[in-house]
Amino acid sequence: MNISAVLLAGGESRRMRKDKATLLFRGKPLWQIQLELLRQLEPAEIFVSARTDPIWRPADVEFVADDLPSRGPLSGLAASLAQMRTKHLLTLAIDMPFMTQEYLEFLCGQIEPGRGVLPKIDNRAEPLAAIYPREVDIDFRSALSGADFSLQTLTSRLVEAGKLRTVSVPDEARKLFLNLNDPADLQPI
């Protein structure tokens, strides 16, 4: 697939009280689950975006430092967009282990030249499992220099500008977007 992929692993994991990337989920650390998923898509390149280079990062995966000062996922996405060598960037959060190869392939099938795809559940965007076109790099840089670091705000503007196309997440696929935020989320579902 001629896209780039980034695993977003820069969160502070405050509610979880430990690094989410190393949490075991169904017998494997989250970082391994998510990188295996991204590798199945065979992207042209894979990045790990974080505040510092994680010790678990495999040698064949490029590290992308979050733009400082860190503004949450906005920083990691901006840095990844600036470094990618393809026309689209698929994003996946480290704490979204229910996501599937089939759904990500579906998203990849929705992209167009200069336009990415943004899943939406009801009226809420899911910007951490989305695909962004190279053309939004300037929009991310502009957002970083402003005062509103919300990906909801930014993606809404990108949809209005025609740089992202929304796709409604059907009821049966909503579980793919569940994320792990605190220890209770690790209980069997």
Side-chain angles (χ1 to χ4, degrees):
M1 224 175 260
N2 192 23
I3 62 167
S4 300
V6 61
L7 179 59
L8 297 169
E12 294 181 24
S13 303
R14 277 183 236 135
R15 287 180 282 173
M16 191 62 79
R17 297 184 293 279
K18 66 183 284 187
D19 183 9
K20 288 183 190 180
T22 60
L23 286 175
L24 292 182
F25 184 77
R26 298 180 179 164
K28 289 184 179 179
L30 286 178
W31 71 264
Q32 185 178 358
I33 292 168
Q34 299 303 71
L35 281 179
E36 286 174 1
L37 176 57
L38 291 176
R39 281 189 170 116
Q40 290 171 355
L41 300 172
E42 299 181 1
E45 57 193 354
I46 300 178
F47 304 117
V48 168
S49 173
R51 293 168 189 247
T52 59
D53 193 353
I55 59 171
W56 49 260
R57 180 184 57 85
D60 65 331
V61 174
E62 294 180 54
F63 169 64
V64 176
D66 286 0
D67 282 345
L68 295 175
S70 182
R71 303 293 188 213
L74 179 66
S75 295
L77 287 169
S80 299
L81 284 161
Q83 191 163 324
M84 72 180 201
R85 293 180 288 277
T86 64
K87 299 207 181 279
H88 286 88
L89 178 69
L90 179 136
T91 64
L92 182 62
I94 193 84
D95 63 355
M96 209 178 277
F98 302 101
M99 187 52 66
T100 64
Q101 176 182 351
E102 293 76 24
Y103 193 81
L104 293 178
E105 286 173 345
F106 161 75
L107 291 180
C108 290
Q110 304 301 308
I111 60 177
E112 303 167 36
R115 195 153 113 173
V117 61
L118 177 69
K120 283 188 97 172
I121 296 177
D122 298 324
N123 289 321
R124 183 153 179 86
E126 293 293 337
L128 303 184
I131 302 176
Y132 298 91
R134 172 185 295 285
E135 289 80 359
V136 301
D137 178 50
I138 188 145
D139 301 278
F140 274 79
R141 298 262 164 228
S142 177
L144 277 176
S145 66
D148 184 354
F149 308 117
S150 164
L151 282 175
Q152 294 296 320
T153 302
L154 176 57
T155 56
S156 177
R157 286 197 311 256
L158 294 173
V159 168
E160 288 173 19
K163 295 179 181 180
L164 288 178
R165 173 177 163 305
T166 62
V167 294
S168 294
V169 176
D171 289 343
E172 64 275 8
R174 289 177 180 219
K175 65 183 180 282
L176 303 178
F177 293 87
L178 293 175
N179 58 9
L180 307 178
N181 286 315
D182 59 55
D185 293 339
L186 292 170
Q187 301 307 315
I189 293 179

